[in-house]
Amino acid sequence: MKVTSTASTSAAAAGSSTSTSALPTGPSTTKSSSRIAPHSHIKGLGLDNEGFALPTASGFVGQTTAREACGVVVDLIKSKKFSGRALLLAGAPGTGKTALALAISQELGAKVPFCPMVGSEVYSTEVKKTEVLAEVFRRAIGLRIKETKEVYEGELTELTPTESENPLSGYGKTVSHVVIGLKTVKGTKQLRLDPGIYEAILKEKIVVGDVVYIEANTGAVKRVGRSDTYASAFDLESETYVPLPKGDVHKRKELLQDVTLGDLDAANARPQGGQDIMSVMSHLVKSQRTEVTDKLRREVNKVVQGYVDQGVAEVIPGVVFIDEVHMLDIECFTYLNLLLESPMAPTVIFATNRGTSLVRGTTDVTGECLIVKTEGYSQEEVAAVVQVRAGVEGLILGPGVIEKYALQLLTPASIVSQMAGRKEISTEDIGEMNELFLDAKTSAGMMGDFEGGIKR
C-alpha cells in the first residue's frame, strides 16, 4: 500500500498590505513511502532448494528447525496431502509463530486462500461460535472455475442502430436491431445484434474506436479500453489504450475465475429483494451478518461437486490460521474436529504461547496435530532481527545502537535524530526514548512498588 504525501511552500504577495495569496509559489515535492507493518519483512520461509533453512533469508533470522518443518508442511499442502489436518505452533511470545504462519501463506502463493483469525473472534453476540468457525473454514476453501465461452472481440468500427415503428403504439419508433463492425489484426466482421445489446453498449458508454468484448451466449458487453491507434490524438488524457486484438473476431476463450465456498454461501444466503422503498429500507436496517444454514451449505457442496465431476471446477484447499488458540472452549474444539473430518476441509494452523492450558476440564486437544516448537532468540539473533527491521523501515543505526536494542523504539528514535539533523540513530536517541517510554519489565517493576495505591 502506497501512501503519498505532498509538501509545498507558499508565500504571501509582497508589496501589498491589502491582498494576500494562499497559492503555492515555490516548487512542490512529492514523497512516496510504503506502509510498514509488524511482519512486512517476512517474504517466505527462507529455505534453499533442498529444504534446509538459511541462517538469514526472506526476513527470517534463526528458527531453522521450525522453518524446515513448515517447509515440509508447505510441500504437503501443495501436493494436497495435508487437507483436514492441523499444525500447532507453540512457543514463547515473540518467537515468530505468526511470522511462520504468514511465511507459509507467502510460500503457497496468492491463489491459495489464507484466512487468519484470533481465538477470541468466536465470541460474538450476533453469530454463534460454531457459525464463526464455519464461515472461516468456508472462506479458506477455494474453487477455480474453468469456463469456455464464445466471444466476439475487436475494435468497434461501426455502430448503426436501425429503428422501426413501435407495434404496441402508434406514436414514436423503437430500435429493432443494431449493426456493429468489429476489427482485429486478422480481419473484420459485421454483426446484426439484438436491441438489448445496444442498450448495454450505451450503458457502458462505448463509442467507435473502443475495443469491446461481447459474450455470444449471454450478450454481456465489456469495454476493454481505447484502441492504441488513437493514442496520439491528444497530448494528455486519462484513457487506457489497448492493442488491437489478435486472431479472428469470433473466437473461443478459456476463462478462469477464483471464488471461495464462503462467497457462494453469501451469494445464496442473501437474495436480492424488490426495488420498492420498503425492500430497500429493510435491506438497510437488517444486520449485515447473516447466518448460513447447513442445508444451504449442503446444496452448495452438491453443486460444486457436480462441477468438479464434470471437470469444470477444481477445489483448492486453503489454510485457516487461528492465533491464540487457547482462547477457544471445548465446544469450539469439538466443532473443529467435525469440520476437519468433512470431505472438503482446509489445512488448520494453530498458534499459542501457553505451555499447558486447561480447556473446560480437558487438555487432550492436540492428539491430531503436528506440533512445531519455536525457540528463543540469542543475543546475536536479536541484533540481526533489529538490523533487518531497520533495513525495512529505511533507518540507519549508529555504533552501539544494536547492543542497546529496543525494537519498538527505533522509529521514535529516528524522529528525534531527524529533528537533531542526523541521518543515523545514535545511542543518545535510544536513551532519550527510554526516558519517555517504558518497557514491560520496567512497568511491571514500578507497579510492584505500589501496594494499595501507596508506594512501599
Side-chain angles (χ1 to χ4, degrees):
M1 177 180 178
K2 292 290 184 181
V3 181
T4 305
S5 59
T6 304
S8 60
T9 59
S10 61
S16 174
S17 60
T18 58
S19 64
T20 59
S21 174
L23 297 176
T25 58
S28 62
T29 59
T30 301
K31 183 180 179 181
S32 179
S33 60
S34 299
R35 181 179 179 181
I36 305 299
H39 296 97
S40 296
H41 59 288
I42 301 297
K43 305 301 181 184
L45 290 171
L47 306 177
D48 59 14
N49 296 331
E50 298 180 357
F52 294 102
L54 301 174
T56 302
S58 300
F60 264 108
V61 177
Q63 302 292 352
T64 56
T65 304
R67 287 156 57 195
E68 291 173 1
C70 291
V72 175
V73 173
V74 168
D75 293 337
L76 290 173
I77 295 175
K78 289 182 177 179
S79 60
K80 299 182 181 180
K81 296 180 180 179
F82 202 74
S83 299
R85 300 186 184 181
L87 174 69
L88 175 61
L89 303 176
T95 54
K97 298 181 295 297
T98 305
L100 285 172
L102 293 176
I104 291 176
S105 70
Q106 295 276 359
E107 295 286 346
L108 293 175
K111 296 297 184 180
V112 178
F114 184 83
C115 299
M117 66 171 293
V118 184
S120 58
E121 289 185 26
V122 301
Y123 303 105
S124 171
T125 57
E126 298 180 357
V127 186
K128 296 185 296 186
K129 294 179 288 187
T130 55
E131 178 64 21
V132 174
L133 292 174
E135 287 181 2
V136 174
F137 268 63
R138 302 283 286 185
R139 290 202 308 269
I141 302 174
L143 188 67
R144 182 167 298 168
I145 303 174
K146 306 173 186 177
E147 191 175 3
T148 302
K149 292 184 177 181
E150 292 188 9
V151 299
Y152 294 92
E153 187 178 26
E155 177 190 340
L156 187 65
T157 58
E158 179 187 356
L159 180 61
T160 307
T162 302
E163 296 182 344
S164 62
E165 297 292 338
N166 191 347
L168 301 178
S169 174
Y171 303 96
K173 295 183 178 181
T174 182
V175 176
S176 59
H177 64 275
V178 61
V179 177
I180 68 171
L182 296 178
K183 180 177 70 172
T184 63
V185 175
K186 197 172 182 179
T188 60
K189 191 177 184 65
Q190 193 177 58
L191 304 174
R192 187 173 185 269
L193 302 178
D194 185 81
I197 298 180
Y198 178 65
E199 295 178 1
I201 291 175
L202 296 179
K203 185 177 180 181
E204 291 289 330
K205 299 179 180 180
I206 296 173
V207 296
V208 174
D210 293 342
V211 176
V212 297
Y213 167 96
I214 304 175
E215 293 184 10
N217 297 332
T218 62
V221 181
K222 179 181 178 183
R223 182 181 183 272
V224 181
R226 189 73 172 165
S227 176
D228 57 1
T229 56
Y230 297 88
S232 60
F234 301 96
D235 293 331
L236 182 64
E237 61 176 326
S238 59
E239 278 286 356
T240 301
Y241 293 100
V242 294
L244 196 65
K246 300 179 181 179
D248 297 325
V249 174
H250 183 216
K251 62 187 72 173
R252 289 177 176 268
K253 267 196 171 184
E254 286 191 359
L255 304 177
L256 291 178
Q257 185 177 5
D258 292 317
V259 296
T260 66
L261 294 187
D263 298 333
L264 299 180
D265 293 341
N268 289 278
R270 300 173 185 172
Q272 298 294 327
Q275 299 298 322
D276 59 308
I277 186 63
M278 294 304 296
S279 299
V280 174
M281 291 302 296
S282 64
H283 178 71
L284 294 175
V285 172
K286 71 177 182 179
S287 175
Q288 295 296 319
R289 300 196 67 175
T290 304
E291 188 169 336
V292 182
T293 62
D294 291 335
K295 180 180 179 181
L296 177 60
R297 289 197 175 102
R298 287 194 296 268
E299 293 295 329
V300 171
N301 290 345
K302 188 183 300 183
V303 174
V304 169
Q305 189 61 45
Y307 287 156
V308 173
D309 294 340
Q310 296 173 12
V312 177
E314 176 189 5
V315 176
I316 303 176
V319 178
V320 174
F321 173 56
I322 305 179
D323 200 2
E324 306 294 342
V325 71
H326 55 268
M327 294 294 296
L328 302 182
D329 55 17
I330 191 63
E331 288 88 354
C332 295
F333 283 110
T334 304
Y335 193 69
L336 281 174
N337 289 331
L338 176 64
L339 293 176
L340 288 173
E341 293 172 357
S342 62
M344 289 186 293
T347 301
V348 180
I349 300 178
F350 298 134
T352 180
N353 54 22
R354 301 286 184 89
T356 303
S357 182
L358 187 66
V359 181
R360 290 278 297 274
T362 178
T363 57
D364 188 17
V365 293
T366 59
E368 298 181 0
C369 294
L370 292 178
I371 303 176
V372 174
K373 181 183 179 183
T374 55
E375 303 289 344
Y377 290 101
S378 63
Q379 187 72 21
E380 292 76 13
E381 290 174 339
V382 170
V385 171
V386 174
Q387 191 65 51
V388 170
R389 287 296 302 177
V392 171
E393 298 185 19
L395 306 178
I396 302 175
L397 305 182
V401 173
I402 294 182
E403 286 74 10
K404 295 184 178 181
Y405 76 94
L407 194 60
Q408 303 298 333
L409 299 183
L410 287 180
T411 304
S414 67
I415 298 177
V416 176
S417 65
Q418 291 175 5
M419 294 175 62
R422 297 188 303 271
K423 293 184 178 180
E424 64 179 20
I425 301 173
S426 64
T427 55
E428 290 78 9
D429 301 327
I430 297 293
E432 185 174 349
M433 290 300 101
N434 276 326
E435 296 177 0
L436 298 177
F437 302 100
L438 300 177
D439 56 36
K441 290 184 179 180
T442 304
S443 178
M446 293 179 63
M447 294 303 296
D449 294 337
F450 288 85
E451 184 176 356
I454 302 176
K455 186 174 182 180
R456 290 186 290 181

